Amino acid sequence: MKVDVLTLFPEMFTGVFGTSILGKAAEKGIVSLQAINFRDYAGNKHGQVDDTPYGGGGGMVLKPDAIFAAVEALQQSSSPARIILLCPQGQPFTQSKAEELSKEDHLVFICGHYEGYDERIRKHLVTDELSIGDYVLTGGELPAMVMIDSVVRLLPGVLGNESSAITDSFSTGLLEYPHYTRPAEFRGWKVPDVLLSGHHAHIETWRREQALRRTWERRPELLEKLELSPKDLKFLAALKAEEQNQQNE
Ligand SMILES: C[S@@+](CC[C@H](N)C(=O)[O-])C[C@H]1O[C@@H](n2cnc3c(N)ncnc32)[C@H](O)[C@@H]1O
């Protein structure tokens, strides 16, 4: 996969692109990660990429010319499948969006700054507008890093143990079950017996029930979107009854 980021601050990506799992994925040639300064495409001698808004008001707006020119230069080498505008007004970025993007060959992320972008960039250049949440940051760099990290870790060969991504929270539609490691007892707190039993079927059942319980307790709305088995439904009915009993006590 090829990932290009258009930004005014390419130096912000040096650490993220060169470290840990992303750095190793790039080293192995699974992904090529590039941060490009779109000021280089400004086409004027001062490298000006922003201007005051028509109609007045505070803040500076990113002009369309440099961003169009930078994307068009990338399109000459390989046509990007998706051109993603980082934007608090965009669709919420989710695990299923990460999975969808991980199937593409070439992604381009455009990072805004200041007051935002000229509307013609939204209307005539990009394929997606994505947000990392209902809050406003100073720029699109951190959201781009968040999205790239969650997409790249899904690429085959990036995580040592492929199956770990399959059970991650949201991948199954549920929050993930709790994990324990050595020691079996720490300050008097013991690891659940079932995890030490070596009985794989019992461990699977325990994990499924813990994932259902955790999702029910923390994000019950996620359960509404899932097709649950009769066994899951029975377990949830027992949980609800347990909760009801506690309220009545
Ligand atoms: C200060 S913000 C502009 C906010 C804009 N005036 C608005 O109200 O929608 C500057 C840039 O940061 C990025 N940004 C800020 N918050 C974001 C979020 N939640 N998700 C994605 N990008 C965000 C975008 O690239 C945005 O253009």
Side-chain angles (χ1 to χ4, degrees):
M1 173 184 270
K2 188 165 155 34
V3 176
D4 292 309
V5 184
L6 300 180
T7 168
L8 292 174
F9 304 96
E11 64 280 8
M12 284 178 72
F13 291 84
T14 313
V16 172
F17 283 178
T19 313
S20 183
I21 293 178
L22 287 199
K24 288 206 182 91
E27 249 174 50
K28 287 191 209 162
I30 298 170
V31 66
S32 139
L33 301 163
Q34 194 183 196
I36 299 160
N37 194 335
F38 61 82
R39 197 182 292 285
D40 296 343
Y41 294 85
N44 58 69
K45 85 172 180 234
H46 300 295
Q48 189 189 348
V49 290
D50 57 348
D51 212 329
T52 51
Y54 277 125
M60 297 296 272
V61 176
L62 288 170
K63 287 151 56 69
D65 38 12
I67 293 180
F68 268 77
V71 171
E72 283 157 7
L74 288 171
Q75 279 167 333
Q76 279 171 10
S77 53
S78 87
S79 206
R82 306 284 276 268
I83 302 168
I84 299 155
L85 193 69
L86 284 323
C87 171
Q89 303 171 16
Q91 265 183 24
F93 182 69
T94 57
Q95 185 66 22
S96 67
K97 184 58 78 177
E99 282 161 18
E100 182 189 320
L101 295 179
S102 73
K103 302 199 169 75
E104 304 285 6
D105 291 332
H106 186 185
L107 304 174
V108 175
F109 290 86
I110 305 175
C111 304
H113 237 84
Y114 318 121
E115 194 52 37
Y117 312 90
D118 184 287
E119 190 65 13
R120 288 162 290 190
I121 295 171
R122 289 180 199 287
K123 284 194 172 157
H124 306 295
L125 185 65
V126 306
T127 58
D128 301 76
E129 290 183 42
L130 295 177
S131 162
I132 57 163
D134 290 348
Y135 41 84
V136 177
L137 302 162
T138 55
E141 286 74 16
L142 294 172
M145 290 175 200
V146 167
M147 292 180 200
I148 293 165
D149 187 278
S150 69
V151 169
V152 171
R153 71 189 287 282
L154 297 174
L155 298 179
V158 170
L159 294 182
N161 178 2
E162 300 297 333
S163 66
S164 71
I166 297 169
T167 59
D168 275 340
S169 297
F170 310 110
S171 297
T172 57
L174 296 173
L175 301 183
E176 198 180 36
Y177 51 79
H179 296 284
Y180 291 89
T181 185
R182 286 174 191 80
E185 185 172 341
F186 173 68
R187 298 189 178 175
W189 300 306
K190 289 186 178 155
V191 171
D193 287 340
V194 62
L195 296 178
L196 308 175
S197 68
H199 194 301
H200 294 299
H202 288 177
I203 293 171
E204 280 316 301
T205 303
W206 182 85
R207 285 182 167 163
R208 180 74 187 173
E209 290 180 355
Q210 290 295 316
L212 286 164
R213 178 185 283 274
R214 198 153 261 211
T215 311
W216 162 253
E217 286 170 353
R218 298 178 185 207
R219 298 287 303 277
E221 80 284 3
L222 295 176
L223 293 170
E224 286 159 25
K225 298 179 204 149
L226 279 178
E227 270 191 42
L228 295 167
S229 70
K231 210 171 153 196
D232 291 340
L233 291 169
K234 197 172 157 203
F235 178 76
L236 284 172
L239 269 189
K240 286 178 202 170
E242 183 185 300
E243 192 183 73
Q244 197 60 51
N245 285 342
Q246 279 166 2
Q247 279 168 5
N248 293 340
E249 273 169 20

